[in-house]
Amino acid sequence: MTDELELLKKDWQKKEFDIPKLSYEDIHKMIWKKSSSVVKWILIISILEFVLPQFLYFLPGMEDSMQVYKNLGVSRYFLGLSISYYAVVFYFIYQFYLRFKEISVLDNSKNLMRKIIKTRRTVKYYVIFSLAISTLFFFAIIMAIYLNNDITHAFPEIGNRLKDFSPDKLKVTLMISLGIFGLVFIAGLSLFYFLLYGLLLGKLKKNYTELSRLEI
Amino acid sequence: MNKELEHKFVTELQDNQNIVHKVCTLYTNDRDSHNDLFQEITIQLWKAYPKFRGEAKFSTWMYRVALNTAITLYRKNKKRIDTADYESIIFKIKADEYDETEELQLKLMYKAVKQLGDVDKALVFLYLEDKNYTEISDTLGISEVNARVKMNRIKTKLRTILKP
């Protein structure tokens, strides 16, 4: 075997592969092309993950729901929750920035992989945190509805439209539908995140395990 | 200044492009992916170039960036496994004709190397480029002893591929 590998080595070193040589212009053109590396994708997706949830507040109808929170008597908690939420989000963004800056293609392979996985892990924790907050949010609204005694007043539009409904029935219906919506929403998001990162980092993780396996 | 840097970089890469072509040949199976990987490596090399500052030889530095791009940053060669399976079927039948000529032997060896995993390929690549174990362990970030152990395992693996 050793001889065969030596034979291969000799051949390999004199080998000019059957590939047309690239000209100066070819290479020059390439350096301005956009990279499609894993690191770039992580950056793009992470920025989207930080930014997109914030846009929810600009959706039409969000003002109405702020009114609903007021009517339900939870707007005070909502404000407190928002402030702590943003404090944590900024902490995550800062951590992400620190780790992202550490990634360098000049590192050795194992370090490079480890740093990419670490950066990605920061985003993963952020996603888990976001999902937990969303769960808490749905739960809080459902609780608020449950504890509210004047449900038609809290949801004036629905209340007017469904005058024939008894308030109790309305309450239960609202709670159940919110519960189902919340579950679907959170399950859908989790599935999306984990599939996305599985696709993106599957190969990298395999190679990292391979490199780490011997180092005990 | 920037234009000057650009010119220096493109000239150096043009002179050393064979290294990048070799990496692309090992890690891809068709011309399109080859060119695609070449482009990604070029982009990564160019992005890292200002940090290079001539501390090492241009080619030494290229090995690291090119391999890192191929095994870590590049993610498009999904169908690789299918092709490798396909190759191994044809290849194992042909293995009967082993020993016949040096040419054939080399051909089989190349095929066997292409069936290895990403990390194993990187080791073999550096070995074929006549890098010593210190350089191999530096590039991949494993200890020298482990680089040797791994290389021996790869040799065994290649042997089983060649003589099933």
Side-chain angles (χ1 to χ4, degrees):
Chain A
M1 191 57 193
T2 322
D3 294 344
E4 283 149 12
L5 212 57
E6 284 309 312
L7 182 72
L8 188 67
K9 196 183 203 173
K10 256 181 227 139
D11 185 67
W12 176 268
Q13 278 170 14
K14 60 171 194 261
K15 198 159 184 117
E16 291 285 322
F17 282 89
D18 179 30
I19 298 290
K21 285 271 167 288
L22 294 173
S23 68
Y24 184 93
E25 282 70 33
D26 291 336
I27 295 175
H28 190 257
K29 247 184 261 160
M30 275 185 189
I31 67 178
W32 301 115
K33 289 268 169 62
K34 288 265 173 287
S35 158
S36 67
S37 79
V38 171
V39 174
K40 185 146 183 202
W41 278 107
I42 290 183
L43 179 67
I44 293 171
I45 295 169
S46 302
I47 289 175
L48 287 178
E49 275 164 7
F50 285 126
V51 169
L52 281 183
Q54 318 312 324
F55 279 108
L56 285 180
Y57 297 103
F58 298 109
L59 283 181
M62 206 53 205
E63 260 176 50
D64 293 347
S65 49
M66 285 312 243
Q67 191 57 45
V68 170
Y69 302 145
K70 244 181 218 159
N71 296 341
L72 283 171
V74 289
S75 61
R76 207 156 20 112
Y77 307 109
F78 190 73
L79 184 71
L81 195 67
S82 297
I83 291 170
S84 1
Y85 170 75
Y86 280 110
V88 180
V89 168
F90 280 114
Y91 170 76
F92 273 118
I93 291 177
Y94 179 64
Q95 284 292 318
F96 177 78
Y97 170 75
L98 286 184
R99 291 185 174 173
F100 186 78
K101 252 183 49 179
E102 273 189 3
I103 297 175
S104 160
V105 75
L106 297 175
D107 231 324
N108 66 51
S109 307
K110 200 175 148 200
N111 270 341
L112 174 64
M113 291 177 195
R114 191 173 48 83
K115 283 174 185 167
I116 294 174
I117 292 171
K118 237 171 103 183
T119 308
R120 146 77 190 113
R121 200 174 292 149
T122 311
V123 188
K124 184 168 144 189
Y125 292 150
Y126 164 76
V127 166
I128 291 173
F129 165 77
S130 289
L131 292 174
I133 288 287
S134 309
T135 313
L136 199 70
F137 172 79
F138 278 111
F139 186 71
I141 298 293
I142 291 171
M143 277 311 283
I145 292 171
Y146 176 70
L147 296 173
N148 197 285
N149 293 322
D150 189 7
I151 202 69
T152 40
H153 175 71
F155 294 89
E157 264 181 52
I158 302 174
N160 285 338
R161 230 180 296 159
L162 302 171
K163 268 187 194 128
D164 306 334
F165 259 66
S166 77
D168 276 345
K169 228 178 180 175
L170 186 65
K171 223 165 149 174
V172 174
T173 318
L174 268 173
M175 281 165 64
I176 292 176
S177 33
L178 253 173
I180 293 172
F181 177 73
L183 263 174
V184 171
F185 180 79
I186 288 158
L189 269 183
S190 332
L191 194 73
F192 172 72
Y193 284 134
F194 292 109
L195 272 182
L196 189 66
Y197 280 109
L199 285 177
L200 205 57
L201 290 187
K203 176 183 140 183
L204 195 152
K205 277 194 171 151
K206 202 182 120 230
N207 288 341
Y208 182 70
T209 320
E210 171 102 42
L211 272 179
S212 311
R213 204 183 297 152
L214 280 167
E215 310 288 312
I216 306 161
Chain B
M1 181 56 211
N2 229 346
K3 277 263 173 277
E4 202 181 297
L5 198 72
E6 226 175 278
H7 175 71
K8 226 177 123 201
F9 172 78
V10 176
T11 317
E12 282 196 276
L13 179 55
Q14 200 193 355
D15 292 344
N16 290 290
Q17 61 176 291
N18 210 25
I19 297 174
V20 183
H21 280 307
K22 281 176 172 178
V23 172
C24 296
T25 309
L26 267 187
Y27 284 95
T28 61
N29 285 314
D30 57 81
R31 189 58 64 90
D32 276 350
S33 339
H34 181 110
N35 293 341
D36 203 45
L37 180 56
F38 193 102
Q39 180 172 307
E40 188 62 45
I41 293 174
T42 304
I43 296 167
Q44 296 298 334
L45 283 167
W46 171 238
K47 278 205 301 197
Y49 193 56
K51 284 182 226 149
F52 162 59
R53 290 194 208 99
E55 280 157 24
K57 250 173 72 188
F58 186 78
S59 59
T60 314
W61 169 79
M62 269 177 78
Y63 282 110
R64 187 170 274 225
V65 178
L67 277 180
N68 271 342
T69 308
I71 67 179
T72 306
L73 303 180
Y74 188 70
R75 25 150 232 113
K76 282 186 191 161
N77 43 350
K78 279 174 219 144
K79 294 210 169 145
R80 203 194 67 237
I81 297 162
D82 299 344
T83 325
D85 281 347
Y86 174 65
E87 269 180 1
S88 81
I89 297 166
I90 303 170
F91 167 72
K92 278 181 180 168
I93 301 164
K94 278 193 178 168
D96 295 338
E97 309 155 39
Y98 198 60
D99 276 338
E100 276 202 6
T101 58
E102 199 179 285
E103 190 73 17
L104 180 66
Q105 206 171 332
L106 277 171
K107 229 175 157 179
L108 293 176
M109 283 293 285
Y110 277 118
K111 269 195 170 169
V113 169
K114 284 206 78 166
Q115 286 178 56
L116 295 170
D118 287 347
V119 174
D120 288 356
K121 267 186 200 167
L123 259 113
V124 171
F125 170 70
L126 292 169
Y127 180 86
L128 292 178
E129 289 289 314
D130 208 21
K131 302 289 164 200
N132 59 39
Y133 281 106
T134 317
E135 283 173 283
I136 294 179
S137 71
D138 272 358
T139 309
L140 298 179
I142 57 179
S143 72
E144 223 176 299
V145 177
N146 286 335
R148 279 175 200 278
V149 172
K150 218 161 172 34
M151 197 61 212
N152 281 331
R153 286 188 193 166
I154 294 169
K155 284 178 186 169
T156 318
K157 218 184 267 180
L158 284 173
R159 205 178 296 139
T160 28
I161 300 177
L162 282 167
K163 293 177 183 167

